[in-house]
Amino acid sequence: MAIELIFILFLSIILVTIIIRYLEVIPCLIFWLLARTITSEDNASLTPIDLGKSVRFVEIPTKEERLIALFFPSKIACSAGILMVPNWFQKEDHENSLKVASILHTTGFNVLLPLYHWDLDERKKLIFNKRSVCPKQYQGVIEKAYEYFITRPEIDKRNIGIWSNSSGTILACQIVKNSPIKGVVLEDGPVSLWNNVAAVLQKKGFPNLLTKFVIIPLLVPFLWRTKWQSKGAVRDLRTCPSFLIAIREDPCKNLWQTFFMLHKPRQLWYEHALHPKDIHGTWLQEYFLQIRKFYDFWLLEQTPQPEFHYDFSVKRYKKGKFLVEIRISAIPPQLDKLPLQIILSDNVRFSEFRIWFSGATMTINYSLNFKPNNISAIQFMNVEPEEHAQHQWIKRDARKSLFTTIEKLIEFPPDKISEQMDRYFFLKSIFLYEQKLQEDAQETLKTSITSNYWKTLVRREADTRIIIREDIEELIISTPNSAFLRN
């Protein structure tokens, strides 16, 4: 009898799990949880007029309710378009999307930005209009926006790209699955709901161990191998060219797994910033150049741009030490020197190298204290030469990036600033080093970073390994002078 009851209970659990998965109950609850942060007090503080853009308010035809979008027409004779699939759950999402739309428009493309929680009043001004949020409704809005976009006379439906961020990346994957998209940007990676759930629970005060070992595992049976989980979403991209953008300060652990699940051609820009939505503000010129290069190459098929192919082999030469041989080739061959960032990773640790590439092929050897199993390479544009063996160039906008980060820090509520101070001082040391201020960078690390932050992040960060010398690392870790942060 007991065995029969256990068997019935087991079948019931499986049946309930299948029903919940089919009805997408868990994604609906997650969307509801995320959308609770949106209130009627969230006003449109930034408008397209503030950006100095010629933009048109257009209406997306739907059977249910009136939906509007912002259409940024290209100022040049360009038939290619970029559909934005933004995150709609945070207070700053509207302003962030407008800023990115302005950058995309500046690159020369037609841009369409659907507005979900906003409407127009009689004076053609944006007003907040709170709507219920669920996955199917969210997906339906994006699909309608895409259908409208490709019917516009200015647009060639064969030359459509997608920009997405945060939870929008999941829906972007669905659009790619069902439409002939030429290239997709996945910003604020990785592509899944896990990062969103963990961030919300962290803000609510849930302990990290409780989230990691209890709450998230309970959700796994309902999201495993579905489009809401990284592997399921990335599988829908197939071989569509993809550009994953993520910040190094994001504590999410599955960035590398997400990137290496992407089919080639794929590209990764792994950058420093105070917040995932700050990359375009912190590194404005590099962001503009990276985005334009990606869309130009895949949407407009401009052949003069080089395409890099790379591979590597690893040999262990003593305990804990590995010799890595990296082979890079470019098509077409390059006569001018091009700055490349190479990252080797074992899915947890990583090391970064910056080189100047020239010619058709290049072979480089490095020694690492871990065995890498994946590689990423990306060409940078806004840089200047440096004499360091592993850092042969540095980023040009570091001074401006530091001031931008300070401005962002000021915007944090007073009760939240203390949580950002360690991250800020770490970023400050990176930016100082990028300005060739080696001593100032070391002094910032020695006097401003707490010992706990050293143990959890800084010692694993590739840039920090360049800034400090290993012989003084233990001294820095054991004697941090951070009392002023606590007073």
Side-chain angles (χ1 to χ4, degrees):
M1 187 67 178
I3 297 178
E4 292 178 353
L5 289 175
I6 294 174
F7 181 71
I8 294 174
L9 179 62
F10 179 73
L11 288 180
S12 301
I13 294 175
I14 293 178
L15 181 61
V16 170
T17 302
I18 293 174
I19 294 174
I20 293 177
R21 282 169 59 97
Y22 178 76
L23 297 177
E24 296 186 338
V25 174
I26 299 301
C28 285
L29 290 175
I30 294 175
F31 271 56
W32 172 81
L33 178 65
L34 297 174
R36 288 187 64 192
T37 60
I38 302 176
T39 69
S40 58
E41 298 176 357
D42 295 336
N43 299 317
S45 56
L46 184 69
T47 67
I49 298 177
D50 298 327
L51 300 171
K53 293 292 180 181
S54 57
V55 60
R56 305 172 193 168
F57 287 101
V58 296
E59 187 170 343
I60 300 176
T62 61
K63 295 180 180 179
E64 293 80 16
E65 54 186 334
R66 182 172 181 258
L67 293 171
I68 61 171
L70 294 174
F71 177 64
F72 297 77
S74 174
K75 293 183 178 180
I76 59 177
C78 178
S79 61
I82 300 174
L83 172 64
M84 298 186 66
V85 187
N87 186 61
W88 286 326
F89 295 129
Q90 301 298 325
K91 180 177 181 179
E92 65 272 16
D93 285 334
H94 172 71
E95 187 168 311
N96 176 70
S97 298
L98 279 178
K99 290 178 179 178
V100 175
S102 175
I103 296 173
L104 297 177
H105 183 238
T106 306
T107 62
F109 293 94
N110 299 284
V111 180
L112 183 68
L113 170 60
L115 300 178
Y116 188 71
H117 287 290
W118 301 92
D119 211 333
L120 292 175
D121 62 11
E122 297 79 7
R123 296 172 295 175
K124 294 292 182 180
K125 288 188 176 181
L126 286 174
I127 57 173
F128 183 85
N129 183 10
K130 187 164 185 176
R131 292 182 169 92
S132 60
V133 182
C134 70
K136 288 186 178 180
Q137 190 173 8
Y138 194 169
Q139 186 73 50
V141 171
I142 299 302
E143 291 174 354
K144 291 293 183 182
Y146 173 76
E147 293 171 2
Y148 166 81
F149 197 27
I150 61 177
T151 60
R152 289 195 65 92
E154 310 96 325
I155 304 298
D156 183 350
K157 64 180 181 182
R158 297 167 297 180
N159 289 329
I160 300 295
I162 284 182
W163 177 92
S164 62
N165 76 321
S166 193
S167 59
T169 57
I170 307 169
L171 304 178
C173 294
Q174 290 293 298
I175 290 291
V176 172
K177 177 184 178 181
N178 302 314
S179 310
I181 303 299
K182 298 289 288 292
V184 56
V185 171
L186 307 167
E187 192 169 316
D188 188 13
V191 187
S192 74
L193 290 181
W194 301 122
N195 209 25
N196 302 69
V197 174
V200 171
L201 293 178
Q202 185 178 13
K203 290 180 180 179
K204 297 292 184 181
F206 283 76
N208 185 52
L209 293 178
L210 178 64
T211 302
K212 182 177 181 180
F213 295 107
V214 179
I215 298 178
I216 296 297
L218 287 176
L219 299 178
V220 169
F222 307 106
L223 298 177
W224 180 65
R225 298 186 68 84
T226 68
K227 62 185 179 183
W228 306 106
Q229 185 251 4
S230 296
K231 190 172 183 179
V234 168
R235 183 171 56 244
D236 292 335
L237 291 176
R238 296 184 174 90
T239 57
C240 179
S242 53
F243 188 10
L244 182 64
I245 302 176
I247 72 163
R248 301 188 181 189
E249 284 64 42
D250 193 333
C252 185
K253 302 297 184 182
N254 61 338
L255 163 73
W256 295 102
Q257 291 89 330
T258 299
F259 175 64
F260 296 121
M261 283 190 297
L262 294 170
H263 292 284
K264 295 180 180 180
R266 65 190 179 196
Q267 187 173 316
L268 172 66
W269 184 20
Y270 198 35
E271 190 54 90
H272 291 289
L274 191 67
H275 191 272
K277 296 179 176 63
D278 289 344
I279 295 179
H280 62 270
T282 306
W283 304 98
L284 178 59
Q285 184 65 17
E286 188 66 45
Y287 185 92
F288 169 81
L289 294 171
Q290 290 288 351
I291 290 290
R292 186 177 67 178
K293 181 176 182 293
F294 176 78
Y295 285 126
D296 278 354
F297 187 80
W298 295 110
L299 271 65
L300 303 180
E301 299 180 352
Q302 294 186 351
T303 54
Q305 297 186 25
E307 184 176 356
F308 292 96
H309 302 270
Y310 43 88
D311 197 2
F312 68 100
S313 59
V314 183
K315 294 181 181 179
R316 179 178 176 180
Y317 64 94
K318 66 179 182 180
K319 185 176 180 180
K321 295 292 183 180
F322 300 88
L323 184 64
V324 183
E325 181 182 83
I326 306 172
R327 299 171 296 277
I328 309 173
S329 60
I331 301 175
Q334 302 303 304
L335 299 180
D336 297 330
K337 288 186 176 181
L338 299 178
L340 289 187
Q341 178 203 63
I342 303 170
I343 295 181
L344 294 167
S345 170
D346 63 354
N347 292 344
V348 177
R349 295 165 294 180
F350 72 94
S351 281
E352 171 193 329
F353 310 99
R354 303 178 183 179
I355 66 167
W356 290 98
F357 179 92
S358 62
T361 61
M362 195 172 185
T363 301
I364 314 162
N365 292 285
Y366 292 111
S367 176
L368 298 178
N369 57 2
F370 65 90
K371 184 178 180 180
N373 53 19
N374 285 297
I375 183 173
S376 166
I378 184 175
Q379 177 188 347
F380 271 67
M381 274 71 76
N382 197 31
V383 304
E384 59 184 60
E386 166 70 344
E387 298 180 356
H388 197 282
Q390 292 186 0
H391 269 43
Q392 297 178 12
W393 51 264
I394 59 177
K395 302 167 188 175
R396 187 172 290 154
D397 281 346
R399 182 176 178 82
K400 184 177 180 181
S401 299
L402 176 57
F403 292 148
T404 302
T405 301
I406 294 174
E407 293 174 357
K408 291 291 182 181
L409 191 66
I410 294 174
E411 294 176 2
F412 276 85
D415 59 332
K416 299 293 182 181
I417 289 181
S418 60
E419 302 173 6
Q420 301 293 327
M421 292 308 295
D422 275 338
R423 178 178 289 190
Y424 162 72
F425 282 115
F426 170 65
L427 285 171
K428 181 178 179 180
S429 68
I430 298 296
F431 295 147
L432 288 172
Y433 179 80
E434 295 285 359
Q435 298 175 62
K436 300 184 180 180
L437 301 174
Q438 173 82 5
E439 294 183 0
D440 292 342
Q442 290 183 2
E443 192 66 23
T444 299
L445 290 176
K446 286 190 291 184
T447 61
S448 304
I449 305 295
T450 64
S451 58
N452 182 62
Y453 196 74
W454 271 101
K455 294 176 184 178
T456 56
L457 174 65
V458 176
R459 295 180 69 182
R460 298 196 303 267
E461 168 60 48
D463 282 342
T464 313
R465 307 296 297 184
I466 300 298
I467 294 176
I468 66 173
R469 303 192 311 272
E470 291 189 9
D471 59 339
I472 68 170
E473 180 183 357
E474 293 301 326
L475 175 63
I476 296 174
I477 296 170
S478 60
T479 59
N481 181 17
S482 58
F484 69 96
L485 287 177
R486 305 293 172 249
N487 296 330

